Amino acid sequence: MNATTSAAAAPAGGGGADTIRRIEIRVCRGDSAPDDVRASSALPGGSRPPFVVLTLETGDGVTGTSFAFSTFNPRAAGEAMVPVKQFFLGRDVFERERAQYDFRRFDRSWTLSPIYAYGPFDNASWDIIGKKAGRSVSRLLGRARDTVPVYVSSMFLPQGEDAYVAQACEAKAAGFRGYKIHPGGRLDEDLAVYAAVREEVGPDFALMVDPVGAYTYAEALTAGRALERLGYRWLEEPVHDVDWLSQQKLTAALDIPVVGTETLAGGHRGTSQAIAQGLVDAVRTDVSWRGGITDVMKTASLADAFGMRCELHTCVYHALDLVNLQCVSALTNCTYLELLYPLADNDFGLAHGIDIVDGHAAVPDAPGLGIAYDWDFIDDRTVTVL
C-alpha cells in the first residue's frame, strides 16, 4: 500500500489545490520488547523501536510524510495525534504561521497534546511546500552548508566503563566528529567512565555528557568540575529538566557549557525564559518533540539573537534525523547532527539512509524533505491506520 493511494480518512470537503484534504496516521510495531516497561526504559539499545508515520495530502494530490515519536506504546501515541489530525484537515498547507498560532489556543483549551504530537504535521507540511516549490526545504530555509559534522551518542550501557570506552573508540575510528555519553547516573561510576573514555580517545576528540537529569545539584557540580579538567565539550541535562534554579547556579559556577531545554513544551516560547534569564549556556530543540521545522528555526534564531548555540537533539529515527538535517544545514549556531549509536538500531523505513562521509552528513537537496521511504518495510510493520 503506497502512501499516495492508501485511504485512511475521507477528504475534508471542498478546498483548493493547497488544502489538506487527507491525513493518515500509521501505527507501526518495532522489534519485540520486554513486557516490563521499566526494563525498556533503561534504553540499553540493540533493538528497533516502534514508530508512527504521518502522511498529509493536498487537493492536487501532493503528499508530505514525516515519522513521529511513538513512546513505548505506538497505538497510544498515534491516538494522541488524532485531535491534531482533525485540527489540520481543511487547512491551507502554506499557512504554517496561522496553524501554529491557532493550535496554541486549540491545544490549551482542552486537548493538551503531548510534546511529540504537533511537530510531524509541521514537517509533513514543509515536505509538501518544498515539493510544490520544486526546492529542498534546506534551500527554502536559507541553506548555509551542504554537509554537517556528526557526533554519535551512546545508549545507557549496563556493561559499564569498558563498553563506553569501546564505543568511543569505534566512533573515533569510524570518523565521527564526537561521542556523547549517556551514563548510568551513579556519580562515582560515571566519573570513572568519563576519565577512562578521555584517556583512551586522546585530548582532541570531542566528548560530551548527558546524564538525562540524574544528578543532584552537588553531584552535577562535581561532575562538571571533573569534565572541565578532562576537556569535555558540554554537560547536558545534569539535573531534572525543570530544576531551573540548579541549572542557573550550575551555569554560573561552571566553565563547561550547561545545555538544556530539549523537553520543554511550547516550542520557542517555552525556551525563551531559559535564554533570557541565563538558565543554560546553550539550548536544545528538534523537529520531533519541539514543534517541527517551523519552531526549530524560531528557537535557533532566538538563541542566535542572544549569542547562544542551539544544538539539535536527535529524533531517534533516522527518518526524522534527516528532517533535523534540513534545519541544521540552514543554521550557523548549531555545530552538529546527533545520531544514536549503534546506527543500525534506528536506520529503518528508508530506501536510502543518511549519507555520511568522513564524519559529515550530506544534506539531501531533492524537492521537499528529500527522503526516500521504504514503503514495503513500513507496510510490513503497520498494525493500524488512524
Side-chain angles (χ1 to χ4, degrees):
M1 179 170 61
N2 186 282
T4 60
T5 58
S6 59
D18 298 330
T19 300
I20 299 169
R21 70 175 186 181
R22 185 183 64 87
I23 300 174
E24 71 169 22
I25 302 170
R26 288 172 176 247
V27 175
C28 302
R29 61 181 174 84
D31 294 343
S32 58
D35 292 332
D36 187 346
V37 71
R38 292 170 298 181
S40 297
S41 66
L43 298 176
S47 65
R48 288 176 168 171
F51 58 104
V52 174
V53 181
L54 176 77
T55 297
L56 278 57
E57 183 179 350
T58 52
D60 55 359
V62 179
T63 60
T65 296
S66 176
F67 267 46
F69 187 69
S70 76
T71 73
F72 295 122
N73 187 335
R75 178 60 187 249
E79 293 284 2
M81 296 175 193
V82 170
V84 191
K85 166 184 171 177
Q86 295 165 346
F87 170 84
F88 268 90
L89 279 170
R91 288 182 170 271
D92 187 312
V93 73
F94 282 90
E95 296 180 358
R96 296 173 296 96
E97 290 296 327
R98 181 192 294 270
Q100 189 182 67
Y101 179 82
D102 289 349
F103 186 76
R104 285 203 300 270
R105 179 69 182 273
F106 167 82
D107 194 50
R108 178 61 185 85
S109 296
W110 196 257
T111 312
L112 300 177
S113 303
I115 60 172
Y116 54 79
Y118 184 89
F121 291 85
D122 185 77
N123 299 337
S125 296
W126 272 103
D127 195 20
I128 293 173
I129 290 167
K131 289 174 180 176
K132 285 176 176 280
R135 294 289 186 272
S136 66
V137 170
S138 168
R139 294 201 181 276
L140 295 179
L141 296 175
R143 189 178 180 111
R145 48 185 164 171
D146 298 327
T147 64
V148 176
V150 177
Y151 77 84
V152 294
S153 291
S154 76
M155 300 299 277
F156 299 97
L157 304 181
Q159 303 92 334
E161 182 179 317
D162 291 343
Y164 287 105
V165 168
Q167 272 201 357
C169 290
E170 287 178 12
K172 181 180 179 181
F176 292 110
R177 302 292 99 182
Y179 177 73
K180 189 170 78 181
I181 297 168
H182 285 109
R186 294 171 293 276
L187 182 62
D188 290 344
E189 296 175 14
D190 295 351
L191 292 174
V193 169
Y194 304 154
V197 170
R198 173 52 80 199
E199 180 177 3
E200 196 66 31
V201 300
D204 299 326
F205 187 60
L207 293 174
M208 306 83 156
V209 166
D210 179 1
V212 195
Y215 296 153
T216 64
Y217 169 77
E219 289 172 335
L221 186 63
T222 299
R225 294 295 188 209
L227 294 170
E228 288 172 350
R229 293 190 295 272
L230 293 167
Y232 274 65
R233 190 66 58 92
W234 72 63
L235 173 59
E236 183 177 330
E237 295 189 319
V239 295
H240 191 267
D241 307 60
V242 295
D243 184 359
W244 293 119
L245 179 60
S246 292
Q247 291 185 68
Q248 187 177 45
K249 289 162 60 180
L250 289 167
T251 297
L254 293 171
D255 292 327
I256 186 173
V258 176
V259 182
T261 74
E262 75 183 40
T263 62
L264 291 185
H268 68 288
R269 288 171 174 256
T271 308
S272 61
Q273 290 304 306
I275 294 174
Q277 297 182 34
L279 305 183
V280 290
D281 292 298
V283 298
R284 296 280 270 171
T285 188
D286 66 65
V287 300
S288 176
W289 295 354
R290 301 297 309 283
I293 293 169
T294 298
D295 218 289
V296 163
M297 300 307 292
K298 289 182 177 182
T299 301
S301 294
L302 178 64
D304 189 53
F306 282 81
M308 295 176 64
R309 294 201 320 278
C310 177
E311 298 290 350
L312 267 61
H313 169 247
T314 179
C315 297
V316 181
Y317 320 102
H318 287 194
L320 270 173
D321 288 323
L322 278 164
V323 184
N324 259 354
L325 184 56
Q326 294 283 323
C327 295
V328 177
S329 73
L331 298 176
T332 57
N333 62 331
C334 181
T335 316
Y336 302 100
L337 178 73
E338 179 188 18
L339 300 176
L340 292 178
Y341 194 84
L343 302 187
D345 287 358
N346 299 295
D347 182 12
F348 57 83
L350 298 168
H352 182 75
I354 302 174
D355 185 10
I356 302 173
V357 177
D358 190 28
H360 288 71
V363 183
D365 205 23
L369 293 173
I371 301 174
Y373 295 97
D374 182 349
W375 287 106
D376 288 338
F377 177 91
I378 294 170
D379 283 341
D380 179 65
R381 293 296 179 109
T382 300
V383 296
T384 190
V385 181
L386 302 174

